[in-house]
Amino acid sequence: MLVVIKDDYAAISAEAARLVANRLRKKPDLVLGLATGSTPLGLYDELVRLHREEGLDFSKVTTFNLDEYVGLSPDHPQSYHHFMQVHLFSRINLQPRFTHVPDGLALDIEDHCAWYEAQIRRYGGIDLQVLGIGANGHLAFNEPGSSLGSRTRVKTLTQKTREDNARFFGTVDDVPRYAITMGIGTIMEARELLLVATGEVKADAIAAAVEGPITAMVPASIVQMHPRAFLIVDRAAASRLRGEYSSSFEEAVMVRRPLGRE
Ligand code: PGA
């Protein structure tokens, strides 16, 4: 695991976008795993800027999103499908048929989850998976207690997660109770992980995920087991870490060549 601490949110977003762009320039048909939430917004804005100003090309990219609320249609304003459309898909040259978000209206959810996993395999697996982290340590909607080997399935959202996400819905009662989420086992099969976190509100979760024991009660702690996991966090989110970490990939590469940005 390579932890890089940046000064602020803008710097995290720029560094994360640099890593994605670097992978995309090397592999134009990159299979990119995407996340929703407020944290990756800066990364997506920066990717849009690189597309517009530097011609970063997404035309051969395939994407797979981590999760979706059960019961929300793709055009529901709070669906993750809609979120991706507004914040990324409509602003770059991704081909719609290469974008995948779990279907919150699937009639047979179990069947849909199996299909989603099969699609990921069909495209050769995810090269780089973007991740946020919940204040409770969740990874996608794998809430505390999720099996560390889990696959794409339905999860019941915790009260904490529903409260955290109520800001998008108005009231907590409007937040769906269930979501389809890639499993932890699914996420761990991505060749590289890129986790971004910002703010004091994530400091406990980051400390537990990076330096705590690997436990299902902190699903994000599983990233310690991934051979190529990059965590980009700001000072506030890093404030409860005790180890010493680098402030750039270049600096980290000087001591840890294998995980560098080649
Ligand atoms: P956030 O959500 O980026 O909105 O904080 C992250 C998450 O819950 O995984």
Side-chain angles (χ1 to χ4, degrees), residues 37-39 132-134 138 167 202:
S38 343
T39 316
I133 182 173
H138 73 203
R167 66 190 195 277
K202 299 293 173 68

Side-chain angles (χ1 to χ4, degrees), residues 34-233:
L34 296 171
T36 49
S38 343
T39 316
L41 285 175
L43 159 63
Y44 297 156
D45 284 346
E46 185 62 13
L47 290 177
V48 170
R49 190 190 68 74
L50 290 171
H51 169 65
R52 290 186 181 155
E53 293 176 13
E54 297 180 21
L56 190 64
D57 180 18
F58 292 83
S59 63
K60 297 188 178 70
V61 171
T62 300
T63 67
F64 285 94
N65 263 81
L66 288 169
D67 45 17
E68 178 61 285
Y69 291 112
V70 169
L72 300 195
S73 67
D75 54 4
H76 186 288
Q78 300 311 334
S79 76
Y80 283 169
H81 200 280
H82 186 259
F83 177 103
M84 292 311 301
Q85 202 60 38
V86 169
H87 295 291
L88 188 67
F89 296 169
S90 64
R91 303 166 74 200
I92 56 178
N93 65 334
L94 271 169
Q95 300 210 42
R97 70 179 193 280
F98 291 158
T99 64
H100 303 84
V101 182
D103 180 2
L105 294 184
L107 290 178
D108 185 334
I109 293 183
E110 213 172 306
D111 193 58
H112 178 65
C113 293
W115 175 85
Y116 203 71
E117 294 260 345
Q119 287 299 104
I120 294 173
R121 282 195 299 277
R122 186 179 150 218
Y123 283 92
I126 293 169
D127 291 306
L128 174 63
Q129 176 67 57
V130 174
L131 296 164
I133 182 173
N136 66 358
H138 73 203
L139 209 52
F141 274 135
N142 296 286
E143 298 282 29
S146 293
S147 158
L148 296 178
S150 52
R151 311 303 307 187
T152 303
R153 70 210 182 293
V154 177
K155 282 297 289 180
T156 306
L157 305 183
T158 60
Q159 184 63 15
K160 168 76 177 139
T161 294
R162 293 181 69 228
E163 283 164 9
D164 285 352
N165 290 3
R167 66 190 195 277
F168 300 113
F169 285 85
T171 73
V172 69
D173 290 333
D174 295 326
V175 182
R177 290 176 186 278
Y178 305 99
I180 296 174
T181 180
M182 272 189 212
I184 299 175
T186 320
I187 293 168
M188 287 293 284
E189 282 171 9
R191 291 179 193 95
E192 293 186 312
L193 303 181
L194 169 58
L195 189 152
V196 282
T198 179
E200 166 81 23
V201 69
K202 299 293 173 68
D204 284 332
I206 285 294
V210 174
E211 296 180 346
I214 296 168
T215 165
M217 289 314 286
V218 182
S221 62
I222 194 68
V223 300
Q224 295 176 36
M225 295 292 290
H226 197 285
R228 289 184 71 86
F230 305 93
L231 276 71
I232 309 180
V233 299

